[in-house]
Amino acid sequence: MENKFKIKKGDEVIVISGKDKGKKGIVSKIIKKKDRVLIEGVNIVKKHKRSPNPENKKPSIVEESAPIHISNVMYFCPKCNKGVKIGYKITEEGKFRVCKKCETIIK
Ligand SMILES: [Zn+2]
């Protein structure tokens, strides 16, 4: 619960459990209703798609990223070089997300 939605679109995250454990990627979509995030290159599933050409009856197989549960990912801090928890820091300029370990501001 704690880490929920501190992650934003465009963040680099690392998968911490499941078949893609250890994989990194950029969050391309957040699906709040389902507590899921879509990460480019992670959780690849094969989908059969019908060819747009009706003459060609053979379905083609395309690979797509499927959303994964937000609890399976952590923000990847390049400075710590690992998955970290996100905290908040309030400065004169406003409220920022920071890496809880090294306190680097996340942009
Ligand atoms: Zn850090």
Side-chain angles (χ1 to χ4, degrees):
M1 279 300 277
E2 200 203 336
N3 231 18
K4 213 172 155 183
F5 306 130
K6 284 179 182 173
I7 286 168
K8 289 190 162 78
K9 193 177 163 183
D11 283 350
E12 186 172 26
V13 293
I14 185 162
V15 181
I16 51 164
S17 65
K19 72 177 171 82
D20 283 333
K21 189 176 173 181
K23 268 195 186 176
K24 284 185 282 174
I26 305 292
V27 175
S28 58
K29 199 177 179 184
I30 291 178
I31 305 143
K32 281 199 176 178
K33 277 185 186 164
K34 290 184 176 172
D35 294 348
R36 282 169 189 270
V37 288
L38 189 67
I39 306 152
E40 285 165 38
V42 168
N43 200 25
I44 301 287
V45 290
K46 282 184 178 147
K47 279 186 178 171
H48 293 263
K49 276 209 172 145
R50 207 172 283 174
S51 168
N53 178 3
E55 299 282 302
N56 184 0
K57 293 265 162 66
K58 233 174 128 188
S60 55
I61 297 164
V62 291
E63 292 188 338
E64 279 179 8
S65 291
I68 67 168
H69 200 265
I70 198 142
S71 64
N72 290 339
V73 302
M74 279 184 106
Y75 178 79
F76 183 81
C77 175
K79 205 173 168 187
C80 298
N81 198 32
K82 62 177 182 178
V84 294
K85 280 188 174 168
I86 294 173
Y88 288 106
K89 197 177 191 175
I90 296 158
T91 69
E92 284 174 0
E93 286 131 68
K95 192 177 171 188
F96 296 96
R97 292 186 303 156
V98 295
C99 163
K100 268 196 176 172
K101 269 196 123 61
C102 66
E103 299 200 328
T104 296
I105 290 171
I106 302 162
K107 294 204 172 112

